[in-house]
Each structure stands twice: as structure tokens, then as C-alpha cells.
Amino acid sequence: MKKQLRYIFLFISVIGFAQKPMVRAEIDTTNIRIGEQFQLKISVAEIENVIIPKISLIGLEIIDSTRTDTLKNSLIRRYILTGFDSGAFYIPQQQIFVKNQAFLTDSLLINVATIRIDTTKVKKFPIKTIQKEPYTFDDFSLYLYLLLAILAIVGFWIYWFVIRKRESEIEISTYKALPPYEEALLKLTALDEKLLWQNNKTKEYYSELTEIVRGYIERELKVPALEKTTDEVLEMINIFKKSDTVDTSKETIELLKDLFREADLVKFAKSKPLAIEIEDDRRDAEYIIGNLKPKTIIKEEEEDELE
């Protein structure tokens, strides 16, 4: 008899345990209005080796979730859900893993209803026109930058083609307005400041030196000395000397001849004169400029007045 009772109690306990689900899902309501929140609770009748994956929903959204709580050898986790579309939505079965074994919860139905509006009690307002947003700096920044760029280009154009050209013309005209002798001396001083031959630029030095002398002769005697060869320039000066139209000496003409010959040797024969020879040529150039002038023609009446 005792043995039979034992089997009966064992059978009842097995049936009771089998009827108790391992995982369970519950909701606190089945009907909500749009935007209202409700609670979903998942219970697991085990506390070790339990994995609750992320819940997948369709038409519903999770607002918040609580940490997993342990209560009477069970795990409980709560979720706050809501819905923003009207209709009937299912919370599908959720797969829970307990000791590497998968269990499924029941699917749950939620009805989401719209909010009825009593149009008889709602005050009506006229439809408002579309209002324009106030203007900001960003609305005009592109046009402002374009305007600044255009002004910069116009200003550069005016400076480069008008003001700079005018200043250059003024400087050139002022420079050329000097007497030939003063202009030549000014150019010789500028040549000295360049220190060309001191920096192994002897060819450039003699080119500028002879160009200064030729420019002086061209302006003072009014002949195209810059376009003539050395021999042609010397021949013109000898002709002027014979015709008694220039005020100079044979020594000055010889110095001019030696200066031009030396310059030709440096420029075309790659001659390298000594420093003392270069300094002598510099002094000779200044001497030539000071002693090669057109002869002043004095009228007979003026000669009588002078006598």
C-alpha cells in the first residue's frame, strides 16, 4: 500500500512539473491607444546558464527595459513597449536559451486603437499662410564672397594696368628728363651698387658699363649709338671731331676705343681682366662722359657781345 502511494505522489509531481512552463511571456494589457505604453514581462524558471536574446517586434517599439531580476529561482525581465500605428500586432514567440536548450514563449496579441476626436467640440482655425523664415548671413554669404572676389579682381586690374603704368610712366619721364650727363652719372652709381664684377659677373658689368656710355653718346650727340657697332660709333665720333662739332680730345677718343675693345673681349672672347683694370675702365667711362660733349655754336652777335 505504501509503495502504491509513493508511485501516485511521484506521478502527480511529475505531471505538475511538466505542466509548469520553463519560459513565459506576459503583458499587462491587450488593448492600448496610439502612443500609450504597456509592459511585457518574460519569466524564466531557471537562474543559471540563461540567455535572453534581443526581442524582435513588428509594428511595436521598445521604449525601455529593466535589468534582469532574480526571484524565487526565476529570472524576470520587463520591457516597456508602445505602438504608433493603429491595428492588431503580435508579439511573436521569443526564443530563450536555458542550459544550451531553446525554449519558446507564447505569442501575444496587442490591439492599438486610434483616439477618437469629437469634431463638434474642437475649435476651428483658418488655414495660415506659409511663413517665410528670417534671412541669415548664410543666405547671402555666397553673394558676398563673389562680390568681394569681383572687387579684388577689379582693384588689381586698376592698379596693375592704370596706377602702376602711370607711376612707371612718371618715373621714366622723370628719369629721362635729367640731362644726359647727370643721367649717366646716376646710372654709373647704380651699376657700382650692384657689385657685378665683384660677384664674378664681369660680362654683365661691361655690358651695362658700355651701354651707359653709348646711351650718353646717343642722347648728348643725338646719334643712334646703341644700335651701332663699336667701329661705327668710333668712326662717327672721329668724323664729328674732324668737323669740329664735338668738344673732346684725342685722348678721350682713345680711352673710348680702349673701353669698347676691352668690353668686346670680355663679352665675346671671354677675357677676364684684373680688378685694377676693371676699376680703371670704370674711371675711364666717367672721364669719357665728362669730356665728350657737342661743341656750343655761338653766333657772331653773341661773340661780339662777349668781346
Side-chain angles (χ1 to χ4, degrees):
M1 185 65 180
K2 291 180 179 180
K3 189 175 182 180
Q4 292 177 351
L5 292 174
R6 185 182 301 172
Y7 282 118
I8 292 172
F9 283 120
L10 180 61
F11 178 75
I12 293 172
S13 61
V14 170
I15 294 175
F17 180 78
Q19 290 179 348
K20 183 179 179 182
M22 179 62 69
V23 296
R24 186 177 180 183
E26 300 176 275
I27 53 177
D28 58 356
T29 182
T30 58
N31 297 285
I32 64 170
R33 290 180 293 183
I34 290 178
E36 284 186 342
Q37 299 177 0
F38 66 96
Q39 185 180 110
L40 167 65
K41 182 176 74 173
I42 295 179
S43 304
V44 182
E46 185 59 60
I47 60 175
E48 295 182 358
N49 298 328
V50 177
I51 300 176
I52 302 177
K54 184 178 179 181
I55 294 178
S56 59
L57 298 173
I58 299 176
L60 300 173
E61 296 184 15
I62 298 175
I63 303 299
D64 194 6
S65 63
T66 62
R67 299 177 63 179
T68 304
D69 296 329
T70 302
L71 181 63
K72 295 181 180 180
N73 296 325
S74 298
L75 293 180
I76 298 175
R77 191 165 188 179
R78 294 178 175 85
Y79 299 87
I80 305 298
L81 284 70
T82 188
F84 296 103
D85 292 325
S86 61
F89 301 96
Y90 276 97
I91 298 177
Q93 291 180 318
Q94 305 299 318
Q95 192 175 47
I96 311 296
F97 294 91
V98 181
K99 296 181 180 181
N100 296 327
Q101 185 177 357
F103 294 90
L104 295 175
T105 65
D106 296 332
S107 60
L108 304 171
L109 178 64
I110 294 293
N111 293 307
V112 182
T114 57
I115 301 174
R116 294 184 179 181
I117 300 174
D118 189 356
T119 57
T120 60
K121 297 181 179 180
V122 176
K123 185 178 180 181
K124 297 181 180 180
F125 296 92
I127 299 175
K128 295 183 178 180
T129 59
I130 299 175
Q131 295 183 354
K132 295 183 179 179
E133 295 183 358
Y135 291 109
T136 61
F137 175 77
D138 293 336
D139 296 329
F140 304 97
S141 58
L142 177 61
Y143 302 103
L144 179 60
Y145 294 146
L146 288 175
L147 178 61
L148 292 176
I150 293 172
L151 291 176
I153 295 172
V154 172
F156 175 79
W157 186 88
I158 293 174
Y159 169 77
W160 188 262
F161 294 101
V162 179
I163 299 176
R164 182 176 174 274
K165 184 178 180 181
R166 186 179 301 171
E167 291 177 352
S168 178
E169 291 176 353
I170 293 173
E171 291 178 359
I172 293 173
S173 61
T174 303
Y175 189 74
K176 288 186 176 181
L178 293 173
Y181 176 73
E182 295 181 11
E183 180 186 2
L185 292 183
L186 187 63
K187 289 183 177 181
L188 287 175
T189 303
L191 178 61
D192 295 337
E193 293 175 353
K194 292 181 179 180
L195 302 175
L196 292 177
W197 67 268
Q198 293 90 335
N199 291 286
N200 297 323
K201 295 181 179 180
T202 309
K203 182 178 179 180
E204 291 85 345
Y205 177 80
Y206 273 93
S207 295
E208 292 195 27
L209 183 64
T210 54
E211 185 176 351
I212 292 171
V213 176
R214 286 172 177 269
Y216 167 77
I217 294 173
E218 182 168 303
R219 287 198 62 202
E220 192 66 78
L221 303 183
K222 295 180 175 57
V223 293
L226 291 172
E227 301 174 0
K228 301 291 184 181
T229 63
T230 298
D231 293 336
E232 290 174 342
V233 173
L234 293 173
E235 184 180 356
M236 282 192 305
I237 293 177
N238 284 322
I239 293 174
F240 289 154
K241 175 64 177 174
K242 291 178 182 179
S243 62
D244 200 25
T245 56
V246 294
D247 185 9
T248 187
S249 61
K250 291 183 178 180
E251 179 186 2
T252 303
I253 296 176
E254 287 298 321
L255 289 175
L256 178 63
K257 180 179 178 182
D258 293 340
L259 177 62
F260 282 173
R261 298 299 183 195
E262 183 67 27
D264 289 341
L265 290 174
V266 172
K267 289 188 289 185
F268 304 112
K270 297 183 179 180
S271 175
K272 295 182 179 180
L274 300 175
I276 188 171
E277 295 175 340
I278 297 174
E279 293 176 351
D280 289 341
D281 290 336
R282 165 65 176 79
R283 285 191 293 269
D284 291 344
E286 187 170 349
Y287 179 83
I288 292 167
I289 292 171
N291 292 276
L292 182 59
K293 299 178 181 178
K295 182 171 288 187
T296 305
I297 300 176
I298 305 176
K299 295 181 180 180
E300 295 181 359
E301 296 179 357
E302 294 177 349
E303 291 179 354
D304 294 339
E305 291 179 359
L306 291 174
E307 290 178 357

